[in-house]
């Protein structure tokens, strides 16, 4: 498990007191100095006699010196070779009194500590935590700290490495990022009577030290059969948490409800054999396999019929319409991606044309499109200095293609005075028109009551999901509404398009299709009712979670 990038420099004040400054992701931490000396002295004094102190990080060796002067055998867990080369903190120490542990993962580090403990009569191991090292690598030093706090390493691993999927009801440890779908997943697991413990993420991308400690406690106390997350939230880019889960023998299920390429961009992922990837878009399966994941599965979106149902409540009078559209104009995502990408002028002047070509190409991958049609753009993107810029440039083309497509589709409905619910970007895009604009509605509180108020709920899908269907395809019929949507290839596996869905295949078909269904209330009612029956039978989140649980058991049980 590689550490996060950092730089270190050693400077001196006017009294020649060494001060080692570590710069981690733009912030400076002082490892050494008068306050550092005092802190390490305090840590050394707190170690009881007749114990085996384990330093989690060597610092500059002051705490280590104090402990050795007391005659205590000391172990130092420190794999930061760059810092050790600067400080020489463990150089020249007698191996019989000072054990240096530099194993690359917590499991192997604990194996060495266990053998060392037995050599010294089984005395208790006492972690001595230098805070800086928790920031350097939370999954490594944080895991060691928590395991040592819990007691003997052998006891921890005997508790942590238990057989999985032995019960008829698998136990799920859920990384709760409070993102879209998290509430639905937890509610569905509860209705399925599946034991689930949520583990709150303060930071969606990388768990904090407290998160690592809580995870390890949950492993021992709750004994989950697997970890479940949405969009890889909780997993760090360096792959430390994935490696820790692999060490624990705890499988990971990650359900992508957005484009996984835009999320896993430049992620390291050790323990890929220990991970099952689920994606809402079948078009992502090959790419995930090519990234080295062996267990990749299609798991489309669904709906929660306990939230979206025909008796959700009456809508407001201003929600009544002949045709409505709920969605973002994409103006702000485009502007944000353009700013983050910081494209050279030659690219910034033509991104709209390149995005239009991508949108019309039928290709689902920006990189594959550029490789086939615009190698000059691909070369320029690879030449951007920062990883974040390259990702932003890919996102820019995806969101701009979506903006153009969505605007074209919505403009085709303007002769029918649509009700548009979304951000204020629509005002500038639509100008003076017959459309009525409303601000965004709350997904849980408002939309179940809003959808039945429209004779036609209009839908056009994001360009990040050219073959997949979005949430509205399930939510609108679930609460008794009629949906008119663009044709998606994967719809054919989900609905009978002759009886359970109304689709248009080209933008040019929108006016005639709108007029047809606006004039035929019976057809709208029959399609909506047939779609509702199909959804309740096959497309609820309980159905999706049943499939996920079955796959996890078959794969890792």
């Amino acid at each position: 498990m590689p550490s996060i990038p950092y730089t270190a420099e050693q400077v001196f004040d006017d009294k020649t007191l060494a001060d080692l400054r570590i710069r981690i992701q733009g912030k400076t931490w002082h490892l050494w100095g008068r306050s550092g000396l005092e802190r390490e002295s305090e840590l050394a004094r707190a170690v009881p006699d007749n114990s085996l102190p384990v330093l989690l990080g060597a610092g500059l060796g002051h705490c280590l010196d104090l402990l050795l002067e007391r005659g205590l055998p000391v172990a130092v867990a420190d794999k930061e070779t760059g810092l050790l080369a600067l400080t020489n903190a463990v150089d020249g120490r007698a191996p019989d009194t000072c054990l240096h542990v530099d194993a690359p993962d917590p499991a192997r580090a604990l194996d060495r500590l266990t053998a060392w403990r037995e050599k010294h009569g089984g005395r208790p191991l006492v972690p001595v935590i230098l805070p800086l090292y928790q920031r350097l690598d939370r999954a490594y030093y944080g895991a060691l700290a928590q395991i040592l706090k819990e007691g003997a390493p052998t006891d921890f691993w005997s508790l942590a490495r238990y057989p999985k999927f032995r019960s008829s009801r698998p136990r799920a440890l859920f990384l709760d990022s409070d993102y879209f779908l998290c509430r639905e997943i937890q509610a569905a697991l509860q209705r399925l009577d599946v034991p689930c413990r949520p583990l709150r993420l303060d930071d969606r991308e990388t768990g904090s030290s407290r998160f690592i400690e809580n995870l390890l406690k949950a492993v021992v106390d709750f004994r989950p059969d697997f970890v479940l997350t949405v969009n890889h939230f909780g997993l760090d880019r360096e792959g430390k948490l994935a490696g820790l889960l692999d060490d624990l023998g705890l499988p990971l299920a990650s359900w992508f409800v957005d484009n996984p390429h835009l999320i896993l961009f430049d992620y390291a992922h050790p323990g890929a054999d220990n991970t099952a990837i689920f994606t809402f878009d079948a078009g992502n399966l090959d790419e995930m396999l090519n990234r080295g994941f062996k267990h990749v599965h299609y798991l489309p979106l669904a709906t929660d019929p306990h939230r979206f149902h025909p008796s959700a409540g009456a809508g407001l009078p201003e929600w009544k319409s002949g045709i409505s559209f709920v969605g973002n104009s994409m103006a702000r995502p485009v502007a944000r991606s353009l700013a983050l990408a910081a494209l050279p002028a030659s690219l910034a002047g033509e991104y709209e044309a390149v995005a239009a070509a991508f949108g019309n190409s039928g290709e689902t991958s920006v990189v594959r499109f550029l490789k086939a049609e615009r190698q000059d753009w691909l070369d320029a993107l690879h030449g951007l200095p920062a990883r974040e810029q390259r990702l932003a440039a890919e996102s820019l083309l995806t969101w701009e293609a979506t903006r153009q497509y969505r605007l074209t589709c919505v403009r085709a409905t303007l002769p029918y005075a649509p009700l548009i619910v979304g951000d204020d970007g629509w005002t500038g895009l639509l100008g003076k028109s017959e459309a009525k604009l409303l601000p965004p509605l709350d997904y849980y509180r408002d939309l179940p009551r809003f959808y039945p108020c429209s004779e036609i709920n209009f839908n056009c899908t994001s360009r990040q999901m050219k073959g997949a269907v979005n949430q509205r395809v399930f939510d609108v019929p679930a609460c008794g509404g009629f949906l008119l949507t663009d044709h998606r290839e994967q719809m054919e596996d989900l609905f009978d398009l002759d009886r359970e869905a109304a689709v248009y295949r080209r933008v040019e078909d929108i006016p005639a299709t709108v007029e047809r269904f606006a004039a035929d209330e019976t057809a709208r009612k029959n399609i909506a009712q047939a779609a509702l029956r199909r959804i309740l039978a096959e497309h609820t989140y309980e159905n999706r979670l049943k499939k996920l649980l079955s796959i996890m058991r078959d794969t890792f049980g």
Side-chain angles (χ1 to χ4, degrees), residues 232 235-236 239 242 252-254 256 260-261 263-279 284-297 555-556:
H232 239 50
L235 280 292
D236 54 282
L252 171 68
S254 189
F256 285 92
H261 173 71
I263 297 167
L264 292 179
F265 189 83
D266 282 0
Y267 263 68
H269 203 296
D273 291 351
N274 193 54
T275 298
I277 297 293
F278 297 85
T279 172
N284 297 321
L285 296 175
D286 287 342
E287 182 173 353
M288 292 297 97
L289 290 169
N290 292 336
R291 287 187 65 93
F293 295 103
K294 293 183 179 179
H295 313 298
V296 181
H297 306 275
T555 305
F556 301 107

Side-chain angles (χ1 to χ4, degrees), residues 424-537:
D424 55 10
W426 286 114
T427 303
L429 292 175
L430 295 178
K432 293 183 179 180
S433 70
E434 296 298 319
K436 177 183 176 182
L437 304 181
L438 287 180
L441 297 177
D442 184 83
Y443 177 76
Y444 296 106
R445 184 183 65 248
D446 297 330
L447 288 185
R449 298 183 297 128
F450 174 84
Y451 288 140
C453 293
S454 299
E455 293 179 1
I456 298 175
N457 290 274
F458 184 74
N459 187 42
C460 47
T461 313
S462 168
R463 287 309 207 196
Q464 74 157 323
M465 45 196 297
K466 291 186 177 180
V469 299
N470 62 18
Q471 192 66 48
R472 275 184 291 277
V473 171
F474 304 103
D475 287 346
V476 172
C479 52
F482 171 80
L483 180 77
L484 174 60
T485 186
D486 47 353
H487 176 265
R488 304 282 93 185
E489 180 181 344
Q490 292 162 36
M491 279 192 73
E492 298 176 6
D493 296 324
L494 302 170
F495 295 95
D496 181 340
L497 298 191
D498 293 328
R499 299 186 307 105
E500 299 170 342
V503 302
Y504 60 92
R505 295 176 182 267
R506 302 178 306 159
V507 174
E508 295 81 4
D509 298 335
I510 292 174
T513 311
V514 169
E515 291 177 5
R516 171 193 165 195
F517 285 108
D520 195 339
E521 181 180 0
T522 300
R524 296 198 310 268
K525 182 178 179 180
N526 289 341
I527 291 173
Q529 290 178 345
L532 174 58
R533 288 192 294 270
R534 172 76 72 167
I535 287 167
L536 294 178

Side-chain angles (χ1 to χ4, degrees), residues 53-360:
V54 180
L55 285 177
L56 300 181
L60 285 187
H62 181 62
C63 182
L64 175 58
D65 288 336
L66 294 176
L67 292 170
L68 291 173
E69 287 173 5
R70 290 171 53 185
L72 293 173
V74 183
V76 180
D78 192 330
K79 63 182 181 63
E80 311 306 322
T81 54
L83 287 181
L84 290 171
L86 273 175
T87 64
N88 301 314
V90 297
D91 291 353
R93 308 286 187 176
D96 57 333
T97 58
C98 179
L99 172 71
H100 178 209
V101 178
D102 59 357
D105 61 75
R108 278 182 276 183
L110 286 165
D111 286 343
R112 290 199 63 192
L113 290 172
T114 300
W116 178 70
R117 181 192 184 207
E118 292 175 356
K119 180 181 177 181
H120 289 279
R123 290 149 64 181
L125 298 175
V126 176
V128 181
I129 304 168
L130 275 68
L132 171 68
Y133 290 79
Q134 306 297 301
R135 302 182 184 101
L136 285 176
D137 193 335
R138 293 167 178 165
Y140 185 85
Y141 297 104
L144 285 175
Q146 184 59 34
I147 294 167
L148 292 172
K149 287 177 185 177
E150 293 290 334
T154 50
D155 294 337
F156 174 84
W157 289 111
S158 66
L159 293 172
R161 288 172 172 163
Y162 48 84
K164 308 298 191 295
F165 295 99
R166 295 296 179 89
S167 169
S168 60
R169 295 182 300 148
R171 304 171 71 83
L173 181 60
F174 181 60
L175 306 188
D176 182 9
S177 59
D178 199 29
Y179 186 64
F180 161 70
L181 210 64
C182 287
R183 298 185 198 180
E184 287 81 353
I185 287 174
Q186 293 181 80
L189 290 174
Q190 183 177 12
R191 286 192 288 269
L192 292 171
D193 200 23
V194 171
C196 174
R197 176 175 292 187
L199 196 59
R200 177 72 181 177
L201 286 173
D202 296 325
D203 181 332
R204 284 179 177 172
E205 182 175 323
T206 306
S208 64
S209 297
R210 182 179 296 274
F211 164 74
I212 295 294
E213 292 182 6
N214 289 337
L215 184 145
L216 293 170
K217 287 180 180 178
V219 168
V220 174
D221 298 340
F222 181 63
R223 294 173 65 85
D225 292 292
F226 71 105
V227 173
L228 174 61
T229 187
V230 173
N231 279 0
H232 239 50
F233 287 135
L235 280 292
D236 54 282
R237 291 187 180 278
E238 295 77 26
K240 297 168 196 163
L241 183 58
L244 176 60
L245 294 178
D246 194 32
D247 291 339
L248 293 168
L250 189 58
L252 171 68
S254 189
W255 188 1
F256 285 92
V257 296
D258 292 302
N259 188 334
H261 173 71
L262 298 179
I263 297 167
L264 292 179
F265 189 83
D266 282 0
Y267 263 68
H269 203 296
D273 291 351
N274 193 54
T275 298
I277 297 293
F278 297 85
T279 172
F280 78 120
D281 187 346
N284 297 321
L285 296 175
D286 287 342
E287 182 173 353
M288 292 297 97
L289 290 169
N290 292 336
R291 287 187 65 93
F293 295 103
K294 293 183 179 179
H295 313 298
V296 181
H297 306 275
Y298 171 49
L299 195 66
L301 298 173
T303 194
D304 182 349
H306 297 267
R307 296 183 186 272
F308 289 85
H309 53 86
S311 56
L316 302 180
E318 58 264 35
W319 293 351
K320 294 289 184 180
S321 68
I323 182 170
S324 67
F325 173 73
V326 178
N328 194 290
S329 71
M330 304 307 293
R332 288 180 183 172
V334 167
R336 185 169 56 249
S337 296
L338 182 61
L340 290 173
L343 297 175
S346 59
L347 301 186
E350 63 170 352
Y351 78 88
E352 292 173 326
V354 175
F358 166 63
N360 294 325

Side-chain angles (χ1 to χ4, degrees), residues 6-26:
Y6 61 84
T7 59
E9 62 177 354
Q10 197 166 13
V11 299
F12 298 88
D13 64 14
D14 56 355
K15 294 186 178 180
T16 69
L17 179 63
D19 179 9
L20 184 63
R21 298 176 181 177
I22 313 300
R23 192 160 183 81
I24 308 170
Q25 295 179 337

